[in-house]
Amino acid sequence: MTGLVLNDEQQMLKDAARRFMQERAPVSQLRKLRDERDETGFSRELWQEMVEMGFVGTLIDEEYGGSGFGYVGMGQVFEEVGRNLTASPLFATAVLGATLLRNTGSDAQKQALLPAIADGSMIMALAVDERARHAPHYVETRAEAQGDGFVISGRKVAVVDGHVADKLVVSARTAGEPGDADGLTLLLVDRAAAGVTVERTIMVDSRNAAVVTFDQVAVPKDAVLGKAGDGYAVLQQTLDVGNAMLAAELLGIAQEAFDRTVKYLHERKQFGVTIGSFQGLQHRAAHLFSEIELMKSVVLKALTALDQQDDSAAQLVSLAKAKASEVAELATNEGIQMHGGMGMTDEFDIGLFVKRARPMQQLFGDYRYHADRFAADRGY
Amino acid sequence: MSDLEAFRRETRAWLEENCPQSMRSPVMSDKDQCWGGRNWTFQSEDQRLWLERMAEKGWTAPDWPSEYGGGGLSREQVKVLRQEMARIRARPPLHSFGVWMIGPAILKFGSEELKRQHLPPIVRGEIRWCQGYSEPNAGSDLAGLQTRAEDKGDHFIVNGQKIWTSYADKADWMFCLVRTNPDVKKQLGISLVLFDMATPGVSTRPIKLISGSSPFCETFLENVRVEKNQVVGEVDQGWTIAKYLLTHEREMIGGFGRTAAGQKTLPQQAVEALGVEQGRLADGMLRGDIARWELDAKAFEFTAERVVDEAKAGQGVGNASAMLKYYGTELNKRRQELLMAIHGSDAMVWEGEAWNEGALARQWLRSKGNSIEGGTSEVQLNVIARNILGLR
């Protein structure tokens, strides 16, 4: 990739993802899952097709069955996921799970788990937050050394796909106090292990998360990912990748909400003319267009920085997530307002975009969290 | 690649030898900018030398063909030159509407005769140009301009009034939009003509702004004779060129407010003025406002970068200049408001050498014009809505 444009392979992946999501996983699929109160919350058949398309292995190296295509590539897939509100375990499993294992897993852990992610046979979930607002260093959950392993106790909230995960990664304290960055350890826990309780939470976006409780859950020593006590830095790297993908998905959501809104402005007539002829609405649409142009740039910049292992990647990810949260909020709110009464109805899709945007903004830090992180990193 | 590296080495060595020390510091005031022209008084011998040496190489207009005095450099070489100049914080040797605006228009639309006559003196900084566009009754509705050019056979006689002419009182030549045909759709009867400001019938009057300075003038044209060979492009086809020039101007104005090399950034100024407590700027509310601005400023910078990259790759939506002009100027106004807040009562002082003659307040007031000149923010939003979103 030279400069802020996609290369041919990345563009091809984006086009393939666009066609696939439009045909196989459009907004109507999410409606169906919601209305049928589907227990899984996504289609396992679709998940297998996403494996075959190569989307699931995008961040996994070839030796473990993936394509090692990189973050810019995966970002394009997520943009299309955002446009179509595609429900799947792609984020929790193929981004968070794969990145954690890739960055910190031992050879044995990688060998055991990465191929299972790549072939779609294992679903993972990351259990980080304990508070309603993202605070990854606020961890009360403890992992006490006992015999040849650890015993974990604590409670995690907003665990995306926790209700269906086969394997959980949990951040627990092996030293220090809640609020300390030091003393955190990441551990692999089987969903089926004794003492693990999963309570499914159906979210406003009709997607699923879970509250996961660990009550004296015993795990062996080799359940530790990376080094005990040094989990925070590793976790941050994974959260950065996650936030870059969330920003890419929010970009897709904002663009689709905007496109649908502009289309509505062209169609809806009042006072004998299309409402798009009114300057009051034209200027708001033009402003939103400009904001989305900025959003595209920061998302691509952050993804590129991750691929290039740029020193400023963390700062650029916070910039991208902050801006993406801000603009997605504006785009979805304007979408409802400009659709008027129809925007308030369940029949119109625009409401589904506002409902999907907010949980993604909140997950792993909203505008405020990342503006603060950005400013601190910039020295003020 | 190695050719480019060789060019970089040569350029670095040449700049090292030829850029005077006093020209290697940020431009702090209007006086530090060299505009050239017949009436220019150089601020220093170094300023004169720097212009002369750069002009000799054609590097005041590095991408223009060398046959017209330009540097004849490729896009990549121009980038290297800019990088090497930034590396030693070299000032631009010449500020010039000739280089930025009418030169590129003459190169693209002008006759061979016009190129040979006008381009070399622009490169050398000998002729200073001004832009005759707006009129008292043609602001946002620029195509409604009424300055008349009557066909007298081998020449035109021009009558009318221009306003907001930047530095008309200091300029040597004007490029001017005039109505050559009043009987057709307004956009189809406009021509772009060139004339010497010393021509009988041309007079100017400076307009004093809220910032206290007078960068703009009213220009009065009474029976001004303009030769027929001084029309750029075809007669009645001036609107196309005017739009091309406006695009240039919008991109230029949209770029105002970027921190120049060597200047302190806005957050750095805030940290200096207000201090840091526990790793965070001491004023929490102001910190939030500054962060919001800087996030947008960075996003805007990357967008300008992306637009260029896309254009190179033959992609992009087009019409990006309206969006860049709109967002860039609004961003600069926010920046100036934040600077006023950061510096508090210090920023309110209007006179006195110790206060840099009220430079902060004057820049803040001047920035209000950024979202008016070159097409208001509202006009840019109209352009986006109509041309990109198809709303009408």
Side-chain angles (χ1 to χ4, degrees):
Chain A
M1 177 159 163
T2 53
L4 285 175
V5 285
L6 299 181
N7 65 30
D8 290 347
E9 289 82 21
Q10 290 158 348
Q11 187 61 49
M12 278 168 65
L13 178 59
K14 186 189 182 77
D15 294 342
R18 167 165 297 187
R19 278 194 304 274
F20 179 84
M21 306 301 165
Q22 274 174 0
E23 284 166 22
R24 302 293 302 138
V27 179
S28 56
Q29 278 296 310
L30 179 71
R31 269 188 191 280
K32 191 161 171 280
L33 291 165
R34 180 193 71 171
D35 295 344
E36 291 173 359
R37 302 190 65 78
D38 188 279
E39 297 234 331
T40 314
F42 63 88
S43 152
R44 291 202 184 260
E45 197 184 321
L46 178 81
W47 181 234
Q48 211 50 47
E49 288 177 34
M50 291 174 86
V51 169
E52 280 151 30
M53 288 297 291
F55 301 146
V56 179
T58 307
L59 298 182
I60 297 173
D61 296 325
E62 284 178 35
E63 58 177 312
Y64 300 112
S67 63
F69 209 77
Y71 300 113
V72 172
M74 192 59 130
Q76 305 318 304
V77 177
F78 270 93
E79 202 180 309
E80 299 308 322
V81 162
R83 274 191 177 270
N84 293 282
L85 303 180
T86 303
S88 84
L90 196 65
F91 182 69
T93 300
V95 174
L96 301 177
T99 302
L100 274 169
L101 287 164
R102 185 169 180 256
N103 289 355
T104 63
S106 65
D107 285 345
Q109 286 166 336
K110 287 186 196 174
Q111 204 65 58
L113 301 174
L114 281 173
I117 292 179
D119 70 16
S121 58
M122 186 185 70
I123 289 172
M124 288 186 75
L126 176 60
V128 177
D129 277 311
E130 301 185 2
R131 292 181 153 183
R133 281 182 66 77
H134 181 58
H137 51 275
Y138 187 85
V139 174
E140 286 183 21
T141 299
R142 292 210 162 260
E144 308 280 357
Q146 203 174 89
D148 208 20
F150 294 91
V151 173
I152 306 167
S153 291
R155 181 175 182 270
K156 297 285 181 178
V157 301
V159 181
V160 174
D161 291 344
H163 66 304
V164 284
D166 305 298
K167 205 60 123 169
L168 299 160
V169 176
V170 58
S171 64
R173 198 161 278 297
T174 42
E177 296 300 322
D180 293 348
D182 286 340
L184 284 184
T185 302
L186 299 176
L187 300 121
L188 283 159
V189 182
D190 276 342
R191 158 75 176 77
V196 177
T197 313
V198 176
E199 181 197 338
R200 178 189 181 197
T201 49
I202 299 171
M203 310 301 280
V204 65
D205 54 358
S206 307
R207 302 285 292 272
N208 295 278
V211 175
V212 183
T213 312
F214 301 85
D215 182 16
Q216 302 281 319
V217 178
V219 294
K221 197 171 55 182
D222 63 8
V224 174
L225 266 176
K227 220 171 133 225
D230 283 351
Y232 193 67
V234 176
L235 179 64
Q236 279 298 333
Q237 281 174 11
T238 301
L239 293 175
D240 279 340
V241 172
N243 272 312
M245 296 309 156
L246 290 170
E249 192 169 342
L250 284 165
L251 171 60
I253 288 174
Q255 289 187 107
E256 185 65 24
F258 180 65
D259 289 352
R260 286 169 182 247
T261 302
V262 171
K263 189 162 171 276
Y264 191 74
L265 296 181
H266 279 287
E267 290 167 358
R268 169 73 174 165
K269 281 193 174 170
Q270 283 290 277
F271 307 103
V273 293
T274 57
I275 59 172
S277 64
F278 299 132
Q279 202 174 37
L281 294 178
Q282 286 179 356
H283 281 192
R284 281 162 61 176
H287 172 74
L288 185 50
F289 169 85
S290 307
E291 290 286 6
I292 292 173
E293 285 298 307
L294 264 67
M295 187 185 190
K296 285 182 197 168
S297 316
V298 292
V299 169
L300 188 51
K301 192 81 181 176
L303 293 168
T304 307
L306 287 171
D307 271 335
Q308 295 175 344
Q309 300 182 307
D310 191 316
D311 288 341
S312 56
Q315 190 186 98
L316 291 168
V317 166
S318 275
L319 166 59
K321 182 71 189 301
K323 191 70 196 161
S325 297
E326 183 197 36
V327 181
E329 187 165 319
L330 180 68
T332 49
N333 285 342
E334 289 286 70
I336 290 188
Q337 179 66 21
M338 292 193 202
H339 275 80
M342 299 316 288
M344 290 299 293
T345 65
D346 184 62
E347 185 190 335
F348 266 59
D349 284 344
I350 194 76
L352 297 175
F353 287 88
V354 78
K355 290 198 264 188
R356 177 63 181 147
R358 286 314 172 278
M360 304 186 62
Q361 289 168 229
Q362 280 297 323
L363 186 63
F364 301 160
D366 64 357
Y367 167 83
R368 296 154 198 89
Y369 179 91
H370 285 283
D372 175 73
R373 185 172 180 248
F374 172 84
D377 199 53
R378 299 280 298 164
Y380 64 97
Chain B
M1 206 61 191
S2 64
D3 282 357
L4 204 57
E5 279 314 302
F7 176 76
R8 185 185 294 280
R9 270 199 306 278
E10 285 162 25
T11 302
R12 186 173 292 188
W14 187 88
L15 287 172
E16 206 48 71
E17 194 165 327
N18 288 282
C19 183
Q21 278 305 327
S22 69
M23 294 291 109
R24 301 185 190 191
S25 61
V27 170
M28 296 307 283
S29 72
D30 287 353
K31 286 179 296 182
D32 293 343
Q33 300 178 347
C34 174
W35 285 87
R38 291 177 196 144
N39 306 316
W40 184 252
T41 313
F42 287 99
Q43 181 199 28
S44 63
E45 178 61 11
D46 280 352
Q47 194 182 57
R48 191 188 64 77
L49 260 181
W50 180 222
L51 171 61
E52 195 179 285
R53 287 170 177 170
M54 285 291 277
E56 183 67 29
K57 288 190 83 74
W59 284 0
T60 46
D63 57 340
W64 292 7
S66 42
E67 53 182 314
Y68 306 121
L73 302 186
S74 67
R75 207 199 288 258
E76 288 73 24
Q77 286 174 322
V78 172
K79 200 170 167 188
V80 168
L81 174 62
R82 299 227 187 288
Q83 286 166 348
E84 289 303 314
M85 284 176 68
R87 200 183 65 87
I88 61 167
R89 297 184 183 183
R91 289 179 189 172
L94 181 64
H95 285 66
S96 163
F97 295 137
V99 171
W100 299 330
M101 304 181 79
I102 190 60
I106 291 175
L107 264 175
K108 194 173 165 73
F109 300 99
S111 65
E112 186 59 28
E113 185 188 359
L114 285 183
K115 290 178 193 171
R116 301 226 170 262
Q117 179 188 356
H118 291 299
L119 298 181
I122 289 174
V123 174
R124 292 194 297 268
E126 289 168 0
I127 294 295
R128 183 171 178 178
W129 287 81
C130 63
Q131 179 192 47
Y133 268 31
S134 297
E135 296 179 5
N137 290 313
S140 290
D141 179 19
L142 181 61
L145 59 91
Q146 287 158 13
T147 293
R148 278 296 313 273
E150 267 180 278
D151 195 332
K152 297 287 182 186
D154 62 341
H155 67 278
F156 292 108
I157 292 295
V158 176
N159 279 287
Q161 187 191 336
K162 293 289 172 181
I163 196 170
W164 308 121
T165 326
S166 302
Y167 306 116
D169 54 337
K170 299 182 175 72
D172 307 311
W173 275 68
M174 173 181 273
F175 53 100
C176 185
L177 291 176
V178 295
R179 182 153 305 285
T180 35
N181 189 346
D183 302 322
V184 290
K185 188 169 175 249
K186 59 185 178 180
Q187 287 88 352
L188 302 178
I190 294 170
S191 302
L192 182 66
V193 299
L194 314 174
F195 55 82
D196 194 318
M197 293 294 280
T199 312
V202 180
S203 60
T204 62
R205 188 166 66 199
I207 303 166
K208 188 173 177 183
L209 299 187
I210 50 176
S211 61
S213 66
S214 304
F216 299 111
C217 293
E218 293 176 287
T219 306
F220 303 93
L221 306 170
E222 279 175 76
N223 294 321
V224 177
R225 183 186 167 110
V226 176
E227 300 307 322
K228 278 264 176 85
N229 67 357
Q230 296 299 316
V231 178
V232 183
E234 301 290 317
V235 171
D236 290 346
Q237 300 294 309
W239 186 244
T240 309
I241 311 173
K243 281 194 294 185
Y244 166 80
L245 275 173
L246 277 173
T247 306
H248 260 261
E249 189 184 12
R250 284 171 188 167
E251 282 166 11
M252 193 171 79
I253 297 170
F256 286 175
R258 286 190 206 153
T259 308
Q263 273 179 0
K264 288 196 183 85
T265 65
L266 189 138
Q268 283 169 343
Q269 292 192 47
V271 165
E272 240 168 61
L274 303 165
V276 169
E277 282 167 13
Q278 295 175 332
R280 280 161 170 70
L281 192 70
D283 186 319
M285 296 294 278
L286 195 46
R287 176 176 183 264
D289 289 347
I290 292 171
R292 190 176 283 276
W293 172 83
E294 204 190 16
L295 288 165
D296 286 341
K298 284 274 168 206
F300 180 73
E301 185 187 320
F302 297 148
T303 302
E305 197 180 317
R306 182 169 63 84
V307 165
V308 172
D309 291 345
E310 282 179 352
K312 273 191 220 160
Q315 307 170 0
V317 290
N319 288 304
S321 67
M323 180 267 292
L324 294 174
K325 204 275 176 182
Y326 163 64
Y327 213 98
T329 55
E330 295 298 331
L331 205 50
N332 191 39
K333 289 197 296 182
R334 283 165 61 192
R335 176 176 182 271
Q336 294 293 340
E337 289 293 349
L338 284 169
L339 281 171
M340 295 302 281
I342 289 165
H343 295 287
S345 62
D346 286 354
M348 308 297 159
V349 182
W350 189 247
E351 288 177 14
E353 216 172 308
W355 307 89
N356 201 10
E357 302 295 346
L360 265 173
R362 290 166 195 269
Q363 281 164 19
W364 160 67
L365 287 164
R366 178 63 186 85
S367 73
K368 301 296 170 204
N370 293 163
S371 54
I372 301 170
E373 59 205 319
T376 61
S377 283
E378 290 71 22
V379 166
Q380 308 309 319
L381 292 172
N382 286 346
V383 170
I384 296 168
R386 204 173 49 234
N387 296 356
I388 302 179
L389 306 180
L391 299 171
R392 58 187 74 212

